[in-house]
Amino acid sequence: MRKQDFYFELPQELIAQDPLTDRSASRLLVLDKQTGTYEHHTFCDILQFLAEGDCLVLNNTKVIPARLIGERLLPPKEGQEEAEHGAQIEILLLKRRENDIWETLVKPGKKAKPGTKLTFGDGILKAEVLDIVEEGNRLVQFQYEGIFEELLDRLGQMPLPPYITHKLQDKNRYQTVYAKHEGSAAAPTAGLHFTKELLEQIAAKGVSIVSVTLHVGLGTFRPVKEDNILDHHMHTESYQILEEEAEKINAAKRNGKRVICVGTTSCRTIESAADENGFVQAKSGDTGIFIYPGYRFKVLDGLITNFHLPESTLLMLVSALAGREHVLAAYEEAVKEKYRFFSFGDAMLIL
């Protein structure tokens, strides 16, 4: 299976730069995965496609302000005691390790060799590059006084994807309304369309709402460089499913009801924790699951998702569920109808 099999033409102007004022006012393309037929709706119409007993799975991860802008510290010159400040450097926090060590993406990487000292916010946060790991990521250890999360909230910026060039006016718009557990370097963007009122209406209809946690790293969004997609390496992301949440999903399966995931991250979480009989186990760990056409879904019946980049692993996952031809035809329709694409864009419901 080739990377170019998942290519489509996307005009630059369809990449959404700003979130809508009303989250649930996004457009919704509803795709029948069996027939490939589609309908145009507004996201708040999603209520009519959910039935009593269905299970809606949300990823309750919370995006941290993971982008830090600082400076390199140069060794002090002869006769000086203090180090000099060098060129600007940018760090993106990807995954927390122990002892204040994080796996990070550093720009420019050439200036971040092991042993390099960094400073942020006039020295209230300092760091040292310890090692280089896969894909050129750096292990960085931070030094500070106080609480790291408070310093991060003060100094960090929201890690918006590179295709969003506008400055985000309200950083809460890059969080879902149900975000709870901090740890993501990117938002589970399919959930951005939900309001608290809409979720209350869904629950009142008898839909079981389940929360799982997967901390989104950049691996999900890394471009596929290999022509043969089977040669692509997925980075791992940490996840957790609690016992009571797993039981809600399994109850829906036992009762012949549908399990509908909000976003590819929720999908990857439950599929990683499922046994061969389609039941989800309560567990935590790391997953590097790569879902592409030919994959047999164990738990998932439906998916709410945004419109993804050409040739991306996310588009491959969606194609695994609804068929590549059906998905690309729906994307062609979305382009023709000028749907908004990517993180702040419109949504698709696949049933």
Side-chain angles (χ1 to χ4, degrees):
M1 202 169 297
R2 302 293 167 190
K3 178 176 73 169
Q4 61 263 33
D5 294 339
F6 300 90
Y7 179 77
F8 65 94
E9 290 283 348
L10 179 67
Q12 194 75 14
E13 65 268 19
L14 295 186
I15 299 174
Q17 293 294 324
D18 303 289
L20 297 180
T21 305
D22 177 1
R23 290 174 183 260
S24 62
S26 304
R27 295 166 78 187
L28 179 70
L29 190 149
V30 181
L31 175 64
D32 185 313
K33 64 186 179 185
Q34 303 299 334
T35 65
T37 56
Y38 43 76
E39 300 174 7
H40 300 288
H41 291 269
T42 302
F43 192 81
C44 54
D45 295 340
I46 200 139
L47 198 61
Q48 72 188 61
F49 296 98
L50 301 174
E52 183 178 352
D54 282 346
C55 182
L56 191 69
V57 184
L58 313 176
N59 180 9
N60 64 8
T61 188
K62 191 171 188 178
V63 185
I64 58 174
R67 186 169 174 254
L68 288 165
I69 309 293
E71 297 169 320
R72 282 196 308 142
L73 283 177
L74 304 176
K77 291 181 178 176
E78 192 173 341
Q80 294 181 337
E81 291 186 8
E82 292 191 9
E84 290 191 348
H85 287 220
Q88 179 177 293
I89 204 153
E90 178 182 324
I91 278 188
L92 186 65
L93 304 177
L94 298 179
K95 189 184 289 187
R96 188 195 292 263
R97 307 276 186 97
E98 65 286 336
N99 301 323
D100 291 314
I101 296 172
W102 284 77
E103 184 178 338
T104 68
L105 182 66
V106 182
K107 295 181 189 175
K110 290 179 181 175
K111 302 288 187 183
K113 296 174 181 173
T116 302
K117 302 279 202 322
L118 311 170
T119 182
F120 308 90
D122 295 324
I124 62 172
L125 181 63
K126 293 182 179 178
E128 180 179 354
V129 180
L130 300 181
D131 201 1
I132 300 174
V133 290
E134 61 178 350
E135 297 283 344
N137 293 348
R138 268 60 175 174
L139 288 184
V140 171
Q141 185 167 38
F142 289 95
Q143 300 96 39
Y144 55 91
E145 290 184 6
I147 299 170
F148 184 75
E149 286 74 17
E150 290 181 359
L151 289 175
L152 199 58
D153 204 44
R154 190 166 144 195
L155 301 176
Q157 301 173 19
M158 277 303 193
L160 294 179
Y163 49 75
I164 294 177
T165 57
H166 292 190
K167 184 173 175 60
L168 185 62
Q169 300 304 315
D170 176 6
K171 65 183 182 181
N172 286 325
R173 287 300 277 107
Y174 196 57
Q175 301 278 20
T176 62
V177 296
Y178 47 80
K180 187 175 181 183
H181 299 296
E182 293 187 332
S184 275
T189 53
L192 296 178
H193 304 283
F194 286 92
T195 62
K196 288 182 177 176
E197 294 75 20
L198 183 55
L199 286 168
E200 286 169 3
Q201 290 170 350
I202 290 169
K205 194 171 182 178
V207 175
S208 174
I209 297 178
V210 169
S211 293
V212 299
T213 306
L214 181 133
H215 292 315
V216 189
L218 289 193
T220 305
F221 305 100
R222 282 190 186 276
V224 177
K225 295 177 181 175
E226 294 79 8
D227 182 42
N228 182 349
I229 69 168
L230 301 184
D231 295 331
H232 177 69
H233 170 65
M234 289 284 283
H235 284 247
T236 61
E237 296 164 313
S238 59
Y239 72 93
Q240 182 179 46
I241 303 177
L242 299 177
E243 183 77 49
E244 61 196 79
E245 305 300 294
E247 179 47 38
K248 289 180 194 173
I249 298 171
N250 294 337
K253 296 303 283 188
R254 281 194 297 269
N255 294 328
K257 302 298 184 179
R258 299 177 301 177
V259 174
I260 300 163
C261 283
V262 177
T264 56
T265 60
S266 301
C267 163
R268 293 172 63 245
T269 303
I270 65 169
E271 289 294 316
S272 296
D275 63 23
E276 289 305 314
N277 298 315
F279 291 104
V280 173
Q281 301 164 314
K283 63 193 296 189
S284 60
D286 290 333
T287 179
I289 190 172
F290 181 17
I291 297 175
Y292 51 86
Y295 178 84
R296 185 180 67 83
F297 287 89
K298 304 183 186 78
V299 190
L300 180 88
D301 298 298
L303 180 68
I304 298 166
T305 186
N306 281 17
F307 290 92
H308 305 296
L309 279 75
E311 301 183 335
S312 63
T313 60
L314 304 176
L315 182 57
M316 293 168 192
L317 184 154
V318 173
S319 298
L321 179 63
R324 186 180 69 89
E325 292 80 7
H326 289 169
V327 169
L328 290 180
Y331 268 55
E332 187 179 340
E333 171 73 3
V335 168
K336 189 180 83 175
E337 293 297 321
K338 295 188 167 20
Y339 273 66
R340 301 163 76 246
F341 276 66
F342 306 161
S343 296
F344 289 140
D346 295 313
M348 180 186 246
L349 169 63
I350 303 172
L351 288 174

